[in-house]
Amino acid sequence: MSLPPSHHRVEEVTLLTDRLGTRRSLTVHRFGTPGARPKIYIQAALHADETPGLLVAHHLIRRLRGAAVSGEIIVVPMCNPTGIGQIVEGVHVGRYALDGSGNFNRIFPDLIEGAAERLVGKIGPDPQANVQTVRAALRAAYDALPPPDSEVAALRHTLMGMAFDADMVLDLHCDQESVPHLYAGDALWPELADLTALLGAKAMLLSPDAGGKPFDEACSVPWWTLAARFAADGPIPAACVATTIELRGKADVDDAQADADAQAIIGALIRRGIVAGTPPDLPPLLCAATPLTGLARVVSPVSGVIAFHRAVGDQVAAGDLIADIVDPTAADPDQARTPLRTPGGGILMARNNLRFVSRGELVASIAGPEPLESNRHALLFD
Ligand SMILES: [Zn+2]
């Protein structure tokens, strides 16, 4: 079937602000038929200083404009105008809100309880009927949320409102220095294996619920939580395929690479019949999916200068030396180094891009196959 090129509409969505005389808005690009299924939602730079996704979004929009779309694709190419504006003494602070609202990618609205109370007695044997029923309950739960009480809460509320009922949600981020990697729920593997392969990702980190309510999980976790809650009544599929895509490191902003990443995403959409075209050949997967509980975090017990011994992409074993932390003020320079070893083996997925750390700061992350005791408490490093 050949479809005409998709209709492309650009909307400005005005956001609530906290201060007199300020105005914030989101630019939203919509492709395809409003309200049609499947619905795909893609956003970039929720952590506003993570630039690679902005350029990927540009190439996505450029390519989707000429494509035939079945369903609806929503692209919000710069989804955090509050964070974009946070320049302090020439430094862009994009991960945390300067008003004290915390990490921008945390505490998105929780729709689970609101949906669950509306689903009692309504789940039956037909999984597709259940998808419709659950979406309606999530919609009712979203509509019943209390009004957001701050600019950042209003931003989270608005982004969530565009995404929670999507069939697929792609949240484009980057790490500090890293190989490409993704985060998703256990239930979404191997559904996301094709996108993982197309993006050339070197790690795919799975968990049932990492905690902290990041954007992707706020959209996807309700599905398997409600499925477990109503298992005796009937099957509820994981009908929102949401993932956080870490597009390498902060400085890895390259026009050709960004276009290749955009084509990888569009390739996954072609494979799902959402964008017309010839499905791309799948390159081999470069990683196995590993549990988020197997992510070894190398945290510095002291402050000082990082002297790395290993690079991103290296395979390392538990106990390997990753870096020395150097204290240049040490009276005895032979005692100036604190060696940092990894508690677990795997691929060195990400490194701190600054070379001076505080005590307790994350220096490197290694994605490994075995759950680590050190991850019993918090799964996401804030
Ligand atoms: Zn991020």
Side-chain angles (χ1 to χ4, degrees), residues 229-261:
R229 193 90 58 98
F230 293 92
D233 297 356
I236 298 175
C240 179
V241 178
T243 179
T244 294
I245 300 173
E246 306 281 352
L247 299 158
R248 304 172 193 78
K250 285 189 175 182
D252 297 322
V253 181
D254 176 86
D255 216 17
Q257 181 64 65
D259 191 23
D261 290 338

Side-chain angles (χ1 to χ4, degrees), residues 26-119:
L26 292 171
T27 304
V28 179
H29 291 252
R30 292 176 180 270
F31 301 88
T33 308
R37 292 273 163 189
K39 173 181 175 178
I40 311 299
Y41 177 85
I42 304 170
Q43 68 178 24
L46 177 56
H47 288 141
D49 58 341
E50 296 175 359
T51 310
L54 297 173
L55 197 54
V56 172
H58 158 72
H59 285 290
L60 275 172
I61 290 166
R62 184 177 66 77
R63 289 183 173 277
L64 287 172
R65 202 172 48 164
V69 171
S70 173
E72 185 178 26
I73 303 173
I74 300 171
V75 181
V76 184
M78 193 174 78
C79 73
N80 183 356
T82 301
I84 281 288
Q86 293 189 160
I87 299 293
V88 180
E89 303 282 1
V91 176
H92 190 181
V93 181
R95 185 173 182 85
Y96 305 97
L98 290 179
D99 72 353
S101 298
N103 186 325
F104 283 111
N105 191 21
R106 296 290 184 275
I107 55 169
F108 275 85
D110 187 337
L111 305 179
I112 293 170
E113 293 308 322
E117 65 191 37
R118 291 168 170 86
L119 287 171

Side-chain angles (χ1 to χ4, degrees), residues 312-342:
V312 293
D314 283 0
Q315 287 289 336
V316 299
D320 278 0
L321 180 65
I322 302 300
D324 286 320
I325 304 300
V326 181
D327 173 4
T329 70
D332 177 357
D334 290 338
Q335 302 293 318
R337 289 173 181 262
T338 302
L340 298 186
R341 297 179 183 279
T342 174

Side-chain angles (χ1 to χ4, degrees), residues 1-346:
M1 178 175 65
S2 80
L3 294 166
S6 67
H7 190 47
H8 178 205
R9 298 168 310 286
V10 184
E11 298 172 0
E12 289 289 311
V13 176
T14 300
L15 294 162
L16 185 82
T17 55
D18 288 339
R19 302 287 287 180
L20 190 66
T22 63
R23 184 179 179 280
R24 307 266 188 220
S25 65
L26 292 171
T27 304
V28 179
H29 291 252
R30 292 176 180 270
F31 301 88
T33 308
R37 292 273 163 189
K39 173 181 175 178
I40 311 299
Y41 177 85
I42 304 170
Q43 68 178 24
L46 177 56
H47 288 141
D49 58 341
E50 296 175 359
T51 310
L54 297 173
L55 197 54
V56 172
H58 158 72
H59 285 290
L60 275 172
I61 290 166
R62 184 177 66 77
R63 289 183 173 277
L64 287 172
R65 202 172 48 164
V69 171
S70 173
E72 185 178 26
I73 303 173
I74 300 171
V75 181
V76 184
M78 193 174 78
C79 73
N80 183 356
T82 301
I84 281 288
Q86 293 189 160
I87 299 293
V88 180
E89 303 282 1
V91 176
H92 190 181
V93 181
R95 185 173 182 85
Y96 305 97
L98 290 179
D99 72 353
S101 298
N103 186 325
F104 283 111
N105 191 21
R106 296 290 184 275
I107 55 169
F108 275 85
D110 187 337
L111 305 179
I112 293 170
E113 293 308 322
E117 65 191 37
R118 291 168 170 86
L119 287 171
V120 174
K122 294 190 176 163
I123 296 298
D126 179 350
Q128 288 317 309
N130 291 339
V131 168
Q132 308 296 331
T133 305
V134 171
R135 275 205 190 113
L138 290 169
R139 164 63 62 190
Y142 177 81
D143 289 344
L145 287 171
D149 59 3
S150 73
E151 178 171 323
V152 175
L155 174 69
R156 292 186 181 119
H157 184 268
T158 300
L159 296 175
M160 185 79 183
M162 290 189 282
F164 75 83
D165 63 348
D167 298 82
M168 184 175 232
V169 172
L170 306 181
D171 194 12
L172 305 183
H173 287 248
C174 70
D175 211 306
Q176 296 191 340
E177 285 182 0
S178 84
V179 293
H181 59 279
L182 295 86
Y183 295 89
D186 290 324
L188 303 179
W189 190 263
E191 167 73 28
L192 283 165
D194 63 339
L195 181 61
T196 304
L198 287 162
L199 285 167
K202 301 281 184 63
M204 162 52 105
L205 300 154
L206 299 179
S207 70
D209 182 354
K213 298 187 177 62
F215 183 74
D216 70 319
E217 291 199 346
C219 296
S220 62
V221 167
W223 288 92
W224 46 88
T225 305
L226 294 168
R229 193 90 58 98
F230 293 92
D233 297 356
I236 298 175
C240 179
V241 178
T243 179
T244 294
I245 300 173
E246 306 281 352
L247 299 158
R248 304 172 193 78
K250 285 189 175 182
D252 297 322
V253 181
D254 176 86
D255 216 17
Q257 181 64 65
D259 191 23
D261 290 338
Q263 288 184 70
I265 290 169
I266 290 173
L269 299 180
I270 292 172
R271 285 172 50 82
R272 286 163 178 75
I274 296 152
V275 173
T278 305
D281 292 334
L282 277 190
L285 260 177
L286 301 180
C287 60
T290 54
L292 184 54
T293 51
L295 188 65
R297 292 182 174 87
V298 178
V299 173
S300 181
V302 296
S303 177
V305 179
I306 309 174
F308 276 114
H309 291 277
R310 305 301 293 261
V312 293
D314 283 0
Q315 287 289 336
V316 299
D320 278 0
L321 180 65
I322 302 300
D324 286 320
I325 304 300
V326 181
D327 173 4
T329 70
D332 177 357
D334 290 338
Q335 302 293 318
R337 289 173 181 262
T338 302
L340 298 186
R341 297 179 183 279
T342 174

